Amino acid sequence: MDPLRWMLDVNIILDVLLNRQPYVAEAKLVWAACNEDKIKGYISSSSLQNIFYLSRLIRKRELGYSPEDAFREALNDVRVCMLTFTVVWLNEGIMQAALTNPGNDLEDALVAQCTIKLLLDGLVTRDNKFRSSGALVLSLADALAQIKQLS
Amino acid sequence: MTVAQEAPQQELPENYEQVRQQVLSLSAAERTRLLHEMIDTLVPATQETVVPSMKDTLSYALGRLSAPGVTPPSDDEVKELIEQARAERYG
């Protein structure tokens, strides 16, 4: 059986990278399911950029890295995401659809349209704002229930 | 305490002894300078991050952006930080 194909909101990925309580417990199960090929996880290219910017900034400001080390390790954060998830590159069709249905956040609209245009099985997020996007939204609880059924 | 693992034995290059003798013929100051230059070449190698296996990226990724005593940003704070980072980049 082909694995389920889920778009992952960047905050799910950041829950793991930031070890953010209490969400990390569920987020890491989704990440692990991707490692185990139970799920095929997707991430938008805009999310990768955001991870890079955030990682570099936090490493410099909060974790005491030099600018050079922060840059290098932020690249490694992007690399580990690219190893784990399939990147959805934004194209004109996705952008046009997001512009038609932007909600109040263009980046969120792009993530939702990636889910819709690629006919993915769902968008895993903790953000209820996605529920009006037209994409099939899965909470972490929904996602974990589906993963459990696969086991 | 972390104990460094012994590097695996590698076959020495043919000209190793010749190079060693040449180095020993240098003055103490020259050998010290050479030693520092050689150590500098090792720094990038020791800072290399181990590339994770595709099948276990979770253990590599978990908490990479966290540190004891540092409260991670909330979703709203993340948005704000990304805005700040973009402002740094694009002005």
Side-chain angles (χ1 to χ4, degrees), chain A residues 12-38:
Chain A
I12 304 295
I13 293 160
L14 290 175
D15 288 342
V16 171
L17 291 170
L18 290 162
N19 198 19
R20 211 158 35 172
Q21 305 294 338
Y23 311 115
V24 64
E26 292 181 325
K28 69 182 184 184
L29 293 176
V30 172
W31 189 302
C34 294
N35 277 167
E36 294 161 8
D37 292 330
K38 291 178 182 170

Side-chain angles (χ1 to χ4, degrees), chain A residues 3-4 6 8 13 16-17 26-42 79-86 147 150, chain B residues 51-62:
Chain A
L4 290 168
W6 289 344
L8 302 180
I13 293 160
V16 171
L17 291 170
E26 292 181 325
K28 69 182 184 184
L29 293 176
V30 172
W31 189 302
C34 294
N35 277 167
E36 294 161 8
D37 292 330
K38 291 178 182 170
I39 300 297
K40 187 164 184 181
Y42 289 74
R79 287 190 182 103
V80 76
C81 291
M82 291 184 72
L83 272 175
T84 312
F85 311 113
T86 300
I147 290 169
L150 296 171
Chain B
V51 177
S53 152
M54 278 184 72
K55 294 299 171 196
D56 186 19
T57 55
L58 175 60
S59 60
Y60 175 85
L62 184 60

